[in-house]
Amino acid sequence: QGPKGFESWAADLMKDAKAHGDTNAGVTLGNVARQEVTGSRAYVVFPAVYSFTEKGVALREAGHMTFVLARGKAGWKIAAWTWTGPTRATRAGK
């Protein structure tokens, strides 16, 4: 949360990736699974696939990304988002 929330989260993600030998990360969004719009707020859910390489092995994790959007003078902006998928401890094959 807060003005440096994303930067702090990204730094922790990079630290975790380095510790586990993860590289080449990327997320692919599918078609909208759910969309709710009320005035200047929106809630949108997408199926998603997180692809990465861990210690030389290509892996993919299915999950969902949920975005809360706020419409302002500059248009729609992401106000909050979350990834819902397996934890490192519950990944298939671990």
Side-chain angles (χ1 to χ4, degrees), residues 1-88:
Q1 292 182 337
K4 298 287 185 183
F6 183 79
E7 290 86 352
S8 177
W9 171 85
D12 286 345
L13 178 64
M14 293 299 102
K15 187 187 324 180
D16 182 73
K18 184 176 181 180
H20 291 93
D22 296 350
T23 59
N24 304 320
V27 174
T28 303
L29 298 178
N31 294 326
V32 173
R34 181 175 175 187
Q35 175 178 305
E36 304 284 336
V37 180
T38 303
S40 62
R41 298 279 188 241
Y43 172 88
V44 187
V45 180
F46 295 88
V49 176
Y50 175 51
S51 302
F52 60 103
T53 302
E54 185 172 276
K55 297 179 183 167
V57 177
L59 298 172
R60 295 167 46 93
E61 294 178 2
H64 286 85
M65 289 198 77
T66 302
F67 297 91
V68 175
L69 307 173
R71 184 173 49 200
K73 292 179 182 179
W76 288 100
K77 292 189 177 187
I78 298 170
W81 65 270
T82 187
W83 166 265
T84 305
T87 65
R88 187 171 290 280

